[in-house]
Amino acid sequence: MSRWCAFLTTADPADQLRAVGAAAVTAAGDHGLGLLDEPGAATGPHRVGRFTAVGEVTLYNRARLRTLLGADAPPADCPDAELLLHCYARLGTAGLAAADGMFALAVADGRDLLLIRDHVGARTLFVARAGGAWAAATSLRALRRWPQLRTGLHLPAVRSFLTFAYLPDRATLLRGVHEVLPGRCVRLRPDGTSTEETFWEPAEADAPGTAAEHALRLRELLEEATVRRLPAGPAGVLLSGGIDSSLVTALATKLHDQRVHTYSIAFDGTTPNELAYSGLVATHCHTDHRVLTVSGDAVAARLAQTVALLDCPVGDPLTVPNLMLARAAADDGLDTILNGEGGDPVFGGPKNLPMLIFELFRDDPAPTARARAYLDSYRKCLDDVPVLLSAGALTELEHAPPLTDVLLPYLQPGRMKTLLNQLLHTNLRTKGAHHILPKVERLTAAAGVQGRSPLFDAAMIDYAFSIPPRFKLAGTEEKWILKESVRDLLPSTIVDRPKSGMRVPVQQWLTGPLRDLSHDLLLGPSARTRDIFRADTLRAWLRGDGTLLPRQGGKVWLVLTLEMWLRAYDVQP
């Protein structure tokens, strides 16, 4: 298991690869391609004509791609990365658009270096330029080790993280390092210039049809997406009991020729859980069901390690439980586990109704007003920034671009005409691409399994944006058409229940097994040296001042996970 890195440099590329801890697979001319000893699926080198590539590539539609290539198709047993390279060599970016899968690829093309990231962002790819050279990798940690990159903390990204609980665009927490956006092919040139070509971006369309016809076509696409992601051997599904993971479970058991394993989590103590619903689905679908009870002590023992696995931090308290579930699946001998991620970004989400209410009562027609309302809907630390960040940090941020700049391209008429589709597109291209999918990939890879998300299937996303909005949000019922498409597969108790997110006992953890660690890290010498946060505000939060207000524990959790990540990557100002 490995990740990859690539260099475009006039210096010795083999030296550059060694400097970041990579084993060179090819180092010729200005190009260096190498593999890193980190959890991943990188292979290479792959050569097709003038192209040489290294990549992390998993394809779900090999047969279709070979048909498109016709007589130019490589041998049937060629690696996925080689097949994708053939598609690009023969068909250009149309060949990338035709691929269904998870991929991040670096391709040496003449004197240039191409970087390719899959449609939705299931695999992550970073790029940086320093000392007259380009560097790219599927590991941010590798770029952190690059001696020529004199990086440090990118403070605007700190503000973004405190607002979104993840980083919603190209920016990372390292100055000078950026993500390649999903659905893009980026060409890097030796003179330092670059160009970006989009090979896939969803757009709103108007598909005629009744609700029943749309539900039928959606069901077909759901089945196709699930079948393509099922492994040859046993399959697992992470089952919460909500509609998204439940429908994936039902489809997997219907379409797979082997018994399906399902995995759910619960927390010790009195926190309400979803076990009754996940158990109902498991019984209904006849799965081998396993419930993992996660204690606060288990979270405390694993939190630092889990945060360090992520290239960019996420303020999601389910990261440790997600990793434990993936390891439980690996212990059961599985190598593939499906999930229900994608239902919210593609068909509906918790921000849609508040945003529609905002539209009814808004008195400011400016596009920035809508973007600001979207920021407010996250209910994280945006309003706390003036009292949370230090005076020095606030001064440095005075000239930073406003956070609304990230959202404006999605929240006004363009590829999406209707407001609901603009909201879904925003969620897909921010939270989907920069939080949900990277978290799934990193945590499952660390456990030695592959996480797959049928609801993020590109063909299904394209179709979803052609379904009339009134079928996705029917009155106040979200995901209506998605529910109708699988109504025959699940008990009505599951299909018709209101959305209920999993309740995580963050406050109990912070006042219990994480109490001393939180104080030591947030008020310790490393945090003081960085001088990002005001110690008096953190002390007040840790004392529990204002705990009658909602989300107090969630705010401390955000700052704690950020501090842990900065320590793991040794990031200084």
Side-chain angles (χ1 to χ4, degrees), residues 163-175:
T163 301
F164 293 91
Y166 61 92
L167 301 180
D169 60 353
R170 301 175 191 267
T172 72
L173 283 163
L174 298 182
R175 280 196 313 271

Side-chain angles (χ1 to χ4, degrees), residues 191-203:
D191 64 4
T193 62
S194 64
T195 55
E196 180 181 86
E197 183 176 358
T198 300
F199 65 82
W200 183 83
E201 187 68 35

Side-chain angles (χ1 to χ4, degrees), residues 116-199:
I116 299 165
R117 188 178 179 194
D118 65 69
H119 304 61
V120 294
R123 291 215 161 105
T124 310
L125 173 51
F126 302 96
V127 62
R129 181 165 176 81
W134 287 105
T138 51
S139 163
L140 189 76
R141 194 178 297 277
L143 296 183
R144 177 70 183 87
R145 293 193 295 262
W146 187 26
Q148 289 182 241
L149 183 66
R150 305 194 183 283
T151 188
L153 182 62
H154 182 52
L155 200 56
V158 171
R159 184 184 59 177
S160 292
F161 178 76
L162 295 172
T163 301
F164 293 91
Y166 61 92
L167 301 180
D169 60 353
R170 301 175 191 267
T172 72
L173 283 163
L174 298 182
R175 280 196 313 271
V177 182
H178 301 89
E179 274 194 44
V180 174
L181 294 180
R184 306 301 200 271
C185 178
V186 177
R187 180 176 291 272
L188 308 177
R189 298 186 178 87
D191 64 4
T193 62
S194 64
T195 55
E196 180 181 86
E197 183 176 358
T198 300
F199 65 82

